[in-house]
Amino acid sequence: MKPVRRSDLVSYVTWTEQRSRELKDILDAKRRRRVSIGDALTLMFENRDTVRWQVQEMMRIEQMMSDTEIDHELATYNELLGGAGELGATLMVEIDDPEERARRLAKWRELPGHIFLKLEDGTKAYASFDPRQVGEDRLSAVQFLKFKTAGMVPVSAGVDLPDLQLEVRLTEEQQDALRADLR
């Protein structure tokens, strides 16, 4: 997937004026790329539109004007995109209770290496992840993952930790969105 370029962005002032016109489209794009695995795990597949939105929002919130700051945001968020034949996703561990969340994050320290996509040919593509997001005693509640799919469309997503075995089928709409992202 091609990264978002500086020329794809508008100033934070212009963005503030036009963001409401783009809100419906980005919410729809995110909805089609959001996959819940059980009650605590969510994958949000990223594409150029979702990354552009995030950078524009950071520019708006921080009122960024400096090329250095904007370039840093672009570099950071572009890392979320998959390369050729690859999908990038943000994994969120969504547990409201702080004590329960801390307990599970400690218990699920190996989680990122056990998240997979089942591809249309039946093979599994396991996530690669940034080891900086896993501490000595616990996992971060947000992980940035990449799945090498060789351009194949996922049909399901799951986890296969010894004490957490889940797999959910992707809807046709989700598969279509990811198919478009792989082009």
Side-chain angles (χ1 to χ4, degrees):
M1 190 172 303
K2 292 181 182 177
V4 177
R5 299 177 314 255
R6 182 72 160 85
S7 61
D8 297 325
L9 304 174
V10 296
S11 74
Y12 79 83
V13 175
T14 302
W15 180 250
T16 300
E17 294 169 353
Q18 75 184 38
R19 73 185 289 269
S20 64
R21 291 190 301 269
E22 294 191 34
L23 182 60
K24 181 183 176 298
D25 290 340
I26 197 63
L27 291 176
D28 186 54
K30 286 184 174 201
R31 179 189 54 76
R32 289 181 284 125
R33 288 168 176 79
R34 185 179 190 90
V35 177
S36 296
I37 305 173
D39 61 352
L41 304 176
T42 300
L43 286 172
M44 178 64 220
F45 288 94
E46 306 291 352
N47 71 0
R48 289 187 87 246
D49 294 332
T50 65
V51 166
R52 178 179 168 266
W53 179 271
Q54 287 302 120
V55 173
Q56 290 286 183
E57 285 295 282
M58 290 303 297
M59 289 171 60
R60 180 182 66 85
I61 292 164
E62 301 290 329
Q63 297 186 353
M64 286 182 199
M65 294 175 44
S66 155
D67 286 339
T68 303
E69 290 177 314
I70 294 167
D71 290 345
H72 173 74
E73 291 301 315
L74 269 173
T76 299
Y77 283 99
N78 273 329
E79 285 184 21
L80 301 178
L81 295 173
E86 192 175 56
L87 291 168
T90 302
L91 170 68
M92 296 163 282
V93 179
E94 299 177 309
I95 302 168
D96 292 335
D97 180 83
E99 289 178 17
E100 179 63 15
R101 183 175 51 248
R103 185 185 71 71
R104 286 203 208 172
L105 290 172
K107 186 177 180 181
W108 292 348
R109 192 171 169 279
E110 302 299 319
L111 178 66
H114 290 272
I115 299 287
F116 65 86
L117 297 178
K118 188 177 284 182
L119 305 176
E120 54 198 344
D121 71 351
T123 61
K124 288 182 180 178
Y126 281 88
S128 61
F129 61 97
D130 185 347
R132 296 173 296 183
Q133 295 175 288
V134 180
E136 288 185 26
D137 61 344
R138 60 173 267 174
L139 175 73
S140 171
V142 177
Q143 297 287 313
F144 305 114
L145 309 176
K146 300 271 178 85
F147 296 91
K148 292 182 188 288
T149 68
M152 287 186 275
V153 178
V155 295
S156 67
V159 60
D160 62 4
L161 277 171
D163 64 337
L164 183 63
Q165 304 271 326
L166 298 168
E167 186 172 344
V168 296
R169 180 139 182 92
L170 275 61
T171 67
E172 289 296 323
E173 186 177 45
Q174 290 167 329
Q175 291 178 45
D176 289 345
L178 298 180
R179 181 177 292 108
D181 293 346
L182 286 165
R183 284 190 203 117

